């Protein structure tokens, strides 16, 4: 089934630990994104990648890093997790269609204690 | 700064019509999107407007006025499954999406 797969779906993490959220898409989309979603706030862009080999910073990049070694994979790493990074994280991709709408993964719920 | 405003919550009755408004102030405009997000799930694409006017897609319609920085999503013949959050997003001059906080729509029987 075509789409975006995120892992893990849920994780509880101790503060200070390193964590990588995985994201894989099989739609051959060039652009990929990582968002966080917090109650009462809109989706906030963390990092993005317009094509394999390139990445860019979004609105809230501090404490996060990404890599884009190939078209399909776009992992998000928290080097040293802090409680303020407790959130739901969504990976998304977009193609070159008329609208360029985003396709989202199912989300990763992360709790940092 | 850039800003998207939409009501936090709305309530409507099954079978009725509801209009969810979205106003925006952004650096440039390259299209406006509406997404639906059921609780605990990912957002899914509903509609896209780049020119002024109404776009109709089944029970859902979306309207855009670029001069007023205004859009609305119209849902007709409401069903219980329409209970969800509706997210408005604008693509700015840098082709980045600016998101509203979403409108939680509660449908009552």
């Amino acid at each position: 089934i075509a789409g975006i797969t995120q892992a893990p779906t849920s994780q509880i993490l101790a503060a200070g630990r390193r964590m990588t959220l995985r994201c894989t898409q099989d739609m051959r989309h060039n652009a990929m994104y990582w968002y966080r979603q917090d109650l009462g706030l809109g989706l906030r862009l963390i990092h993005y990648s317009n094509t394999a080999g390139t990445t860019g910073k979004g609105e809230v990049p501090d404490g996060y890093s990404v890599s884009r070694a190939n078209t399909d994979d776009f992992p998000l790493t928290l080097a040293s997790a802090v409680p303020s990074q407790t959130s739901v994280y969504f990976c998304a991709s977009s193609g070159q269609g008329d609208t360029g709408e985003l396709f989202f993964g199912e989300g990763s719920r992360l709790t940092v204690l | 700064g850039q800003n998207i405003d939409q009501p936090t919550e709305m309530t409507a009755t099954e079978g009725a019509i509801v209009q969810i408004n979205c106003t925006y102030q952004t650096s440039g405009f390259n299209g406006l999107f509406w997404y639906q997000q059921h609780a605990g799930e990912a957002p899914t694409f509903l509609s896209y407007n780049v020119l002024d006017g109404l776009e109709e897609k089944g029970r859902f319609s979306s309207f855009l006025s670029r001069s007023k920085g205004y859009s609305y999503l119209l849902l007709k013949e409401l069903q219980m499954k329409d209970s969800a959050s509706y997210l408005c997003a604008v693509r700015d001059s840098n082709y980045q999406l600016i998101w509203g906080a979403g409108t939680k729509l509660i449908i009552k029987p």
Side-chain angles (χ1 to χ4, degrees), chain A residues 55-74:
Chain A
T55 62
K57 293 182 179 180
E59 179 186 357
V60 288
D62 293 344
Y64 306 94
S65 63
V66 292
S67 61
R68 187 86 184 277
N70 55 61
T71 298
D72 298 345
D73 301 302
F74 191 44

Side-chain angles (χ1 to χ4, degrees), chain A residues 5-113:
Chain A
T5 303
Q6 289 185 234
T9 56
S10 181
Q11 182 76 44
I12 298 174
L13 187 67
R17 297 298 295 269
R18 181 184 179 89
M19 178 72 195
T20 295
L21 303 180
R22 300 183 298 279
C23 176
T24 300
Q25 55 106 355
D26 60 4
M27 296 177 283
R28 308 303 295 171
H29 286 167
N30 282 327
M32 296 188 74
Y33 312 85
W34 273 105
Y35 287 95
R36 61 178 289 173
Q37 187 174 41
D38 302 289
L39 196 63
L41 299 176
L43 288 162
R44 292 185 291 169
L45 183 65
I46 304 170
H47 285 286
Y48 65 93
S49 170
N50 288 329
T51 189
T54 69
T55 62
K57 293 182 179 180
E59 179 186 357
V60 288
D62 293 344
Y64 306 94
S65 63
V66 292
S67 61
R68 187 86 184 277
N70 55 61
T71 298
D72 298 345
D73 301 302
F74 191 44
L76 176 74
T77 297
L78 290 68
S80 178
V82 295
S84 62
Q85 291 177 312
T86 293
S87 188
V88 179
Y89 292 86
F90 287 102
C91 181
S93 70
S94 64
Q96 300 285 29
D98 289 343
T99 68
E101 79 264 25
L102 298 186
F103 295 82
F104 286 86
E106 290 303 307
S108 297
R109 182 175 296 275
L110 184 65
T111 302
V112 183
L113 302 176

Side-chain angles (χ1 to χ4, degrees), chain B residues 32-47:
Chain B
L32 184 144
F33 297 81
W34 284 96
Y35 284 79
Q36 181 189 58
Q37 185 177 25
H38 286 102
E41 298 183 8
T44 55
F45 171 74
L46 280 180
S47 68

Side-chain angles (χ1 to χ4, degrees), chain B:
Chain B
Q2 306 199 92
N3 194 53
I4 308 278
D5 285 318
Q6 49 181 135
T8 302
E9 186 174 298
M10 299 182 70
T11 301
T13 304
E14 189 177 17
I17 299 173
V18 71
Q19 177 175 310
I20 302 174
N21 295 326
C22 170
T23 58
Y24 62 89
Q25 292 176 306
T26 57
S27 301
F29 178 86
N30 282 295
L32 184 144
F33 297 81
W34 284 96
Y35 284 79
Q36 181 189 58
Q37 185 177 25
H38 286 102
E41 298 183 8
T44 55
F45 171 74
L46 280 180
S47 68
Y48 172 73
N49 295 71
V50 66
L51 300 176
D52 291 351
L54 190 68
E55 293 283 341
E56 297 186 81
K57 192 184 293 186
R59 294 189 298 114
F60 293 6
S61 303
S62 57
F63 172 83
L64 173 67
S65 169
R66 289 172 295 171
S67 63
K68 295 181 179 179
Y70 167 70
S71 172
Y72 67 72
L73 181 69
L74 191 72
L75 291 75
K76 303 176 185 176
E77 301 169 16
L78 286 170
Q79 303 175 9
M80 297 304 293
K81 68 178 182 180
D82 297 330
S83 292
S85 288
Y86 291 86
L87 314 180
C88 175
V90 172
R91 190 159 55 195
D92 68 10
S93 57
N94 293 320
Y95 280 79
Q96 295 296 328
L97 278 177
I98 311 301
W99 294 84
T103 298
K104 182 179 181 180
L105 178 63
I106 299 168
I107 309 296
K108 295 186 174 180

